[in-house]
């Protein structure tokens, strides 16, 4: 994605830099995978403010994201890349061969029409999901599980990724973007590539 600057016709546009979203889906989210949210505005059941600075904001729907990627050995095709108001990364709508649709966190450089797959011993390709034991050292990964079948918890925000440093018995040593080193059991899953929208900050 490219950055978009403006000629300073007004004071507000003088320093404005936005992320260009011309390749992002312009319609509404898939109805079956989105539902409404109720905003408390930071107030409790008595109407008193218990969390400050939480008021107003635009209404939006929550998109149900598949952080688990459990549909093994079934190829999925990327139908579109969408903006998600609930997170900094973009999301991708994928359709599996059995005609079931799902939202996933969109990896960087993934395009409409690309095919992805989950499971053991798969190709090391952007968007594919597999156990940590199948991923070679030095590969960028995201949406990393902390426990097997626990769903992706690490490296989910825009532009983030982690790297596999090595293997220690049944554990993988993972270096996070912060420099922190984590030991995670090798049967936990991760997705190949870094997260989309790396121009976010």
């Amino acid at each position: 994605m490219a950055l978009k600057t403006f000629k300073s016709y007004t004071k507000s546009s003088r320093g404005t830099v936005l992320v260009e979203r011309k390749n992002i889906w312009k319609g509404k989210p898939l109805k079956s995978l989105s539902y409404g949210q109720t905003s408390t505005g930071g107030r409790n059941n008595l109407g008193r403010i218990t969390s400050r600075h939480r008021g107003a904001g635009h209404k939006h729907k929550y998109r149900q994201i598949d952080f688990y990627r459990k549909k093994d050995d079934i190829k999925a095709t990327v139908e579109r890349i969408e903006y998600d108001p609930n997170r900094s990364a973009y999301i991708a709508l994928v359709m599996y061969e059995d005609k079931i649709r799902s939202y996933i966190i969109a990896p960087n450089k993934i395009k409409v029409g690309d095919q992805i797959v989950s499971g053991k011993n798969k190709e090391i390709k952007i968007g594919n999901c597999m156990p940590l034991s199948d991923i070679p050292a030095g590969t960028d990964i995201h949406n990393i599980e902390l426990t097997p079948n626990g769903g992706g918890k690490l490296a989910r925000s825009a532009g983030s990724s982690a790297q596999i440093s090595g293997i220690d018995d049944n554990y993988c040593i993972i270096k996070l973007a912060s420099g922190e080193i984590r030991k995670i059991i090798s049967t936990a899953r991760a997705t190949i590539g870094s997260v989309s929208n790396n121009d976010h900050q």
Side-chain angles (χ1 to χ4, degrees), residues 21-46:
R21 295 195 186 127
K22 64 181 179 183
N23 297 325
I24 302 299
W25 172 254
K26 292 178 177 64
K28 293 185 176 180
L30 193 69
K31 200 169 185 180
S32 60
L33 290 175
S34 58
Y35 50 87
Q37 289 179 295
T38 52
S39 172
T40 60
R43 280 127 175 105
N44 66 2
N45 62 323
L46 301 175

Side-chain angles (χ1 to χ4, degrees), residues 90-125:
Y90 295 131
I91 57 175
L93 181 68
V94 298
M95 181 187 256
Y96 290 93
E97 287 175 332
D98 55 3
K99 304 300 178 188
I100 291 176
R101 285 187 173 93
S102 179
Y103 277 127
I104 63 164
I105 289 180
N108 213 8
K109 297 181 181 175
I110 203 164
K111 298 186 291 295
V112 174
D114 286 357
Q115 285 201 329
I116 56 173
V117 69
S118 302
K120 293 182 178 178
N121 302 318
K122 299 300 177 208
E123 183 189 353
I124 305 299
K125 177 186 164 190

Side-chain angles (χ1 to χ4, degrees), residues 1 3 33 38 40 46 53 69 73 87 90 106 112 121 125 132 140 144 147 153 158 169 181 185-186 194 198:
M1 299 290 165
L3 294 174
L33 290 175
T38 52
T40 60
L46 301 175
H53 317 299
R69 301 284 300 272
D73 307 319
R87 64 195 72 252
Y90 295 131
V112 174
N121 302 318
K125 177 186 164 190
L132 292 168
D140 282 343
I144 306 157
T147 54
K153 299 286 193 294
D169 291 334
I181 305 292
I185 195 158
S186 300
S194 59
N198 49 1

Side-chain angles (χ1 to χ4, degrees), residues 11-168:
K11 290 179 180 179
S12 61
S13 65
R14 183 172 295 134
T16 303
V17 180
L18 299 177
V19 177
E20 199 170 330
R21 295 195 186 127
K22 64 181 179 183
N23 297 325
I24 302 299
W25 172 254
K26 292 178 177 64
K28 293 185 176 180
L30 193 69
K31 200 169 185 180
S32 60
L33 290 175
S34 58
Y35 50 87
Q37 289 179 295
T38 52
S39 172
T40 60
R43 280 127 175 105
N44 66 2
N45 62 323
L46 301 175
R48 293 172 184 154
I49 293 174
T50 51
S51 299
R52 295 190 299 165
H53 317 299
R54 292 285 291 274
H58 201 291
K59 280 187 180 181
H60 57 251
K61 291 187 174 179
Y62 183 79
R63 281 81 164 157
Q64 205 166 345
I65 311 292
D66 178 18
F67 294 115
Y68 294 87
R69 301 284 300 272
K70 284 183 180 177
K71 288 179 76 70
D72 289 355
D73 307 319
I74 304 174
K75 286 185 179 178
T77 306
V78 178
E79 289 195 330
R80 63 195 192 210
I81 311 290
E82 294 187 19
Y83 169 78
D84 188 352
N86 305 290
R87 64 195 72 252
S88 56
Y90 295 131
I91 57 175
L93 181 68
V94 298
M95 181 187 256
Y96 290 93
E97 287 175 332
D98 55 3
K99 304 300 178 188
I100 291 176
R101 285 187 173 93
S102 179
Y103 277 127
I104 63 164
I105 289 180
N108 213 8
K109 297 181 181 175
I110 203 164
K111 298 186 291 295
V112 174
D114 286 357
Q115 285 201 329
I116 56 173
V117 69
S118 302
K120 293 182 178 178
N121 302 318
K122 299 300 177 208
E123 183 189 353
I124 305 299
K125 177 186 164 190
I126 287 174
N128 284 359
C129 181
M130 61 196 75
L132 292 168
S133 55
D134 293 348
I135 304 172
T139 309
D140 282 343
I141 53 174
H142 68 277
N143 193 37
I144 306 157
E145 290 182 336
L146 286 172
T147 54
N149 302 319
K153 299 286 193 294
L154 300 176
R156 298 192 330 194
S157 63
S160 62
S161 65
Q163 272 195 342
I164 294 182
S165 298
I167 294 171
D168 182 17

